[in-house]
Amino acid sequence: MLLTLLAYHLASLLVVQAQNDCIGHPTFRSPANSDIEVSCGSQTIDLQILLCPVYFNGYNESMLALNSVHSKDQCKGIADWTADPPVVKFNFSITEEAITDCSNTLTVTQETGTGVFAEFSSVQHINISGMICSEDPATGTITYHQEVMYRFSCRYPLQYLVNNTQMTVAGTNLAVQDKNGSFISTLSMQLYVDEDYSSMLQIPANGLELKTRIFVEVKASNLSNRFNVLLDRCYATTTLFPITNSISYDLFVGCNRDGQTIVGMNGEQQEARFSFEAFRFVQTEATFSTYYIHCATRLCVNTFCPTLRQNCTTATDRRRRRNANHNQDSTVSDTATVNSGPITIRLDHGNLGSSEGAQQKDANSTVLAVSVVAGIVGAICLTLMAFIAYQVYNSKIAFNKTILYPHD
């Protein structure tokens, strides 16, 4: 009992001291909607509320909690009296578990694409919302304290905003930018040699042969199981960072696809897969043709993804496949694109470009030379044999004449 009383008196002294720190401060007034500051980050949502208005209404930081969940420590805030003005801070991760722990709300909306998403007929957004509520200290039937309540929300497009970084042929993870409008996750693109996606593609030093089938997988990690990966457009360019005048060729855009491109899985799981045959750009005059694969990638709620995959009628006219000699004019920003490493294709130009091809050519030349020599030698031998036979025949005739008509 004594310890309880001491703790109570200590808490009372701290509250009084804190209130004394707020007295005379410009923010020691009634609460206002502008007292809360919301930061919608790529990994966490951070909130901070002015403390002095809370004390002005007869509350303190221990009486505030996310959505009135006062029983969980992770739903309560931490006071920062070193800040000017003093604030109480809340934060939670953008994961389904952390969002639901404190009874925050997560909803998904669908809108027509605008701005950088104008090429998309439907764009989904995720909205995370909640409130910070006070717990009244009164235990009776009535109270004279005005409730403190601050509402907040963060809105994210289900579109990856990723950094372009140096990449290898085996693929790379791309970090999500930490700014408002981004979503927590990582993307990776990897190339494989088999339809089981078990053996990664390794580009040989002398390049790949034309028509080699390349299997591509775009995968997302750290995602809630309610979201799938959807590829809207995948294309090849001769530069890692596509520019206005760079040469490009579309492997597929929505429902339009190259004749050698096969889309295996798209919008069905947290990875999307397709394959294509190695080609070359006709403008390339060098021994090798090198290009990069880019995929404009977004998320979709798994229950809505089938609608996006099948809705090809309204956007077909806007998503025509461009030839290699056309400039890349996509309205999708580069920061929403995941890229592969360099893909090098061997150009034979009528001759084999590899060392094995040169060796084969030398071997063929040697065989031809030997055959010619052998033919000449054979012809000489036949000629000699015919000459010898002719001489023998003439000798026999002369011998017979000598016997039948002897000289007297």
Side-chain angles (χ1 to χ4, degrees), residues 39 46 69 132 152 160 212 219 235 284 317 366 385:
S39 176
D46 300 295
V69 183
I132 297 175
F152 67 90
Y160 286 99
T212 298
K219 186 176 183 180
Y235 59 101
T284 304
D317 293 338
T366 302
M385 291 177 64

Side-chain angles (χ1 to χ4, degrees), residues 25-57:
H25 197 280
T27 59
F28 190 61
R29 52 165 173 73
S30 296
N33 291 333
S34 59
D35 293 344
I36 185 171
E37 181 179 330
V38 182
S39 176
C40 303
S42 62
Q43 299 187 21
T44 60
I45 292 179
D46 300 295
L47 314 168
Q48 64 177 26
I49 300 172
L50 297 180
L51 257 179
C52 291
V54 175
Y55 275 87
F56 185 88
N57 258 30

Side-chain angles (χ1 to χ4, degrees), residues 135-278:
E135 182 182 31
D136 201 296
T139 57
T141 306
I142 64 171
T143 181
Y144 293 97
H145 291 90
Q146 177 67 39
E147 183 181 16
V148 175
M149 179 186 298
Y150 296 97
R151 296 183 181 274
F152 67 90
S153 66
C154 284
R155 183 171 179 268
Y156 299 91
L158 293 185
Q159 174 77 29
Y160 286 99
L161 303 180
V162 297
N163 291 325
N164 282 315
T165 57
Q166 185 177 2
M167 303 165 201
T168 62
V169 70
T172 183
N173 288 334
L174 304 180
V176 175
Q177 292 179 353
D178 188 7
K179 65 180 182 181
N180 194 9
S182 58
F183 194 80
I184 178 174
S185 187
T186 55
L187 274 178
S188 64
M189 176 185 287
Q190 299 205 4
L191 309 179
Y192 294 86
V193 298
D194 60 327
E195 61 183 5
D196 294 329
Y197 293 83
S198 57
S199 300
M200 290 187 184
L201 174 66
Q202 300 294 333
I203 306 293
N206 59 346
L208 294 172
E209 291 184 1
L210 288 169
K211 299 188 71 64
T212 298
R213 183 153 290 275
I214 301 174
F215 297 85
V216 184
E217 180 182 73
V218 177
K219 186 176 183 180
S221 58
N222 299 332
L223 274 186
S224 162
N225 56 12
R226 68 161 59 191
F227 301 119
N228 290 345
V229 170
L230 181 68
L231 305 180
D232 279 291
R233 178 195 179 205
C234 289
Y235 59 101
T237 66
T238 55
T239 58
L240 175 57
F241 304 107
I243 55 179
T244 304
N245 60 349
S246 64
I247 301 172
S248 70
Y249 183 75
D250 285 329
L251 297 175
F252 67 89
V253 183
C255 297
N256 294 326
R257 66 188 62 180
D258 173 79
Q260 307 304 320
T261 299
I262 300 174
V263 179
M265 182 167 57
N266 192 17
E268 302 172 27
Q269 298 182 20
Q270 293 187 355
E271 60 267 359
R273 293 172 172 176
F274 69 95
S275 65
F276 67 97
E277 288 188 354

Side-chain angles (χ1 to χ4, degrees), residues 66 71-77 90-92 101-102:
L66 287 166
S71 59
K72 297 181 180 179
D73 292 337
Q74 65 266 32
C75 301
K76 294 185 176 182
F90 297 81
N91 69 82
F92 58 92
D101 270 351
C102 296

